[in-house]
Amino acid sequence: MFGSFSKVHKEESYASECKALPENVIEHFKKEKNHSWVYLFDRGQTSTEAFKNMKSEDGLLFIGRLNENRKLKQTKSFNLESIDFTQGELLEDGL
């Protein structure tokens, strides 16, 4: 797989991924309506507000990894018994 989108920011306010990442993901998502892409990013995103903004976009699918020191509240968990994996093991699935 290769990246399909990039954008360069010169302004100081974009030095942190907290602003640049969600803005770019949402902007690209809106230009490419009705696609089935999942946006994947690593631990650089530390803003809870950014995750909320991306989650509010109907149909936007993303996977991100939070910093280890986050306090999380699980609101829903999913049954794993009906899921069959051919490789690896899913330990937990929830919101």
Side-chain angles (χ1 to χ4, degrees):
M1 276 196 214
F2 297 99
S4 63
F5 171 73
S6 65
K7 187 171 183 178
V8 176
H9 295 281
K10 296 179 183 178
E11 299 87 5
E12 181 71 28
S13 63
Y14 286 96
S16 167
E17 288 185 21
C18 292
K19 180 175 180 181
L21 184 86
E23 236 178 70
N24 289 323
V25 168
I26 291 170
E27 180 183 325
H28 184 252
F29 171 70
K30 288 182 177 179
K31 286 182 181 176
E32 300 292 333
K33 272 298 193 199
N34 301 317
H35 63 68
S36 58
W37 299 342
V38 175
Y39 296 88
L40 173 65
F41 45 89
D42 203 359
R43 198 177 286 168
Q45 186 53 255
T46 59
S47 168
T48 304
E49 197 62 34
F51 278 104
K52 287 179 185 176
N53 289 341
M54 288 188 288
K55 187 179 177 204
S56 70
E57 293 289 330
D58 188 38
L60 173 58
L61 303 174
F62 64 92
I63 299 170
R65 195 166 61 149
L66 295 170
N67 289 339
E68 293 174 358
N69 62 348
R70 301 297 293 211
K71 292 181 181 179
L72 302 174
K73 178 182 175 185
Q74 185 168 325
T75 58
K76 182 177 181 180
S77 66
F78 300 100
N79 183 355
L80 301 178
E81 294 174 8
S82 62
I83 302 172
D84 185 29
F85 287 98
T86 57
Q87 295 180 0
E89 178 182 6
L90 180 61
L91 301 176
E92 186 175 348
D93 190 7
L95 299 173

